[in-house]
Every structure is written in structure tokens, then in C-alpha cells.
Amino acid sequence: MSVAPALMGTEQVPLWQVEHAHPAPDALVAAAQAAAFGREAGDLYPGLRAPVPDGYAAWLAQIAGASLGTPAGCGDPAVLRTSFAIAGDDPAQLAPIQRIPHFDDSADAILAAVHYLCASPHGGTSFYRHRATGFERITAARVPLWRQALARDSQTHGLPSRRYQDGDSPAFVRIGQAPLAFNRLIFYPANCLHAGDVAASWQRSAADPRLTITSLLRLR
């Protein structure tokens, strides 16, 4: 059954939200507890990742196709990558690019997904507009302009504060939010500016981690 997306900002960025998404979320949590987490070379994610159980990618592709209302004959989206993820790095140690909203891929056909497998007080995901350019999505054509704009931001505002992005800032304004709820699954364009809402709870990562599954999918 397709889910009507919420539309955010001036560029009408779509956000799909699926409640009670997985039939056995506790089994996913148990699998994460038994998994070996680590860091991937070149990965800017501010935390650790681990492989998901067999079968998750096939399930994700199926629920994505059903939730987004994939047209007949097009097939379900293809899962490009998927992994358990725990955000919990000390913000004082983050690189400047990790302290601002980001995009995952500039291609229009790529979707991002976040499957929340934890509960409050952990936060969800926020979406942003870049004040100087008005960009809410960084398409392939905008990438050079985006890089130039970030350089100008550093001259105008200095480097971003040593903290996680948490709502409005001198360079960004929040245009929407997907609050966290256990077993909620969200989809959004991978080229939209977004950031995890981890500022208030990153210190809990050892005893009570912000466990999610993060994925990228390609629309067929």
C-alpha cells in the first residue's frame, strides 16, 4: 500500500514515513547486538556500522516498492547498500564537513532510507535549506556551486561549531523533521540536505545506542 509523502520546503522535498515497518524488529535489534561494528574507510558517518542480516535488503526493496507506489512493470527499487549504524562520535572530534547537513548522492534516482531501531531520548532526522543558495537538494548540476558556497560560508561565518547540526544555524534553516519512533522507516531523496538529530543523545551510544539501519536504493 503506497504512502503519501510529506513535502518539505520550497523545493517540495518528499519524505515517506512507514510505521511498524518490519514484522520482527526485536530480531533485528538482537542481530545488531551480536554484530561486529567497525568503521569503513572513507566513510564520513559519525559512528560505527555493521552488516545487516540476510534477507533484510530483499525485504527493504519490497516495502520500498509498496510504500512509494512503484509503477507496474518498473520493479522494486534496487538496494545499493544497507548496514546497521550507530551514531555516537564525540562532536569535538568531528571534521567540519560532519558538523553541517549533508547529502548522500547527487543522482535524482537514488533514495535514502533510515530504519529506526531505538527509542527516545534519541532523535530522528532533520532536513535543511542552505540559506545563501536556497538549495534544499544538491543535484549533480549544483555540486560545483555547492562547494563554492561552502567555501564562502567558511569566510562569512567561520568553521561550523564543534557540535552536531541541531536546528537552525547561521548557514542553514531546518525545513522538516522525521521524529524517531521504534520500527519507523523513512525514505527521502538521497540528494536532499539532512542530518541526524543526535546532538542531545550521542553520549548514550555505549549503553543505549542510537541504532538504525541506513540504506541507499536506486529507483528502476
Side-chain angles (χ1 to χ4, degrees), residues 179-198:
L180 184 146
F182 183 72
N183 202 23
R184 175 177 289 163
L185 174 64
I186 62 172
F187 298 98
Y188 51 88
N191 61 15
C192 74
L193 292 170
H194 62 281
D197 297 329
V198 298

Side-chain angles (χ1 to χ4, degrees), residues 8-181:
M8 303 178 292
T10 58
E11 296 186 349
Q12 299 287 275
V13 177
L15 169 66
W16 293 266
Q17 186 167 290
V18 183
E19 308 298 338
H20 313 294
H22 196 274
D26 292 335
L28 293 176
V29 174
Q33 291 170 341
F37 280 78
R39 297 185 187 273
E40 299 178 2
D43 187 8
L44 289 175
Y45 184 76
L48 304 174
R49 296 188 187 271
V52 297
D54 292 341
Y56 183 85
W59 169 83
L60 180 64
Q62 184 176 42
I63 195 171
S67 300
L68 276 60
T70 303
C74 291
D76 293 332
V79 178
L80 303 180
R81 74 176 194 221
T82 183
S83 63
F84 286 120
I86 294 176
D89 286 357
D90 185 337
Q93 304 302 317
L94 298 179
I97 196 67
Q98 294 175 296
R99 305 180 218 150
I100 62 173
H102 66 281
F103 67 100
D104 297 318
D105 195 291
S106 62
D108 289 330
I110 306 298
L111 291 178
V114 180
H115 191 174
Y116 300 135
L117 293 172
C118 54
S120 177
H122 293 295
T125 307
S126 288
F127 302 87
Y128 292 90
R129 176 189 306 121
H130 183 239
R131 293 182 188 271
T133 61
F135 293 166
E136 296 166 355
R137 300 176 69 161
I138 308 302
T139 61
R142 288 177 172 180
V143 168
L145 299 174
W146 172 243
R147 292 172 177 162
Q148 295 169 15
L150 291 184
R152 289 194 298 270
D153 280 351
S154 66
Q155 296 171 351
T156 303
H157 307 296
L159 292 177
S161 300
R162 291 184 176 272
R163 61 179 180 83
Y164 285 101
Q165 184 77 33
D166 187 21
D168 294 355
S169 66
F172 297 92
V173 58
R174 182 158 53 192
I175 61 171
Q177 196 169 23
L180 184 146

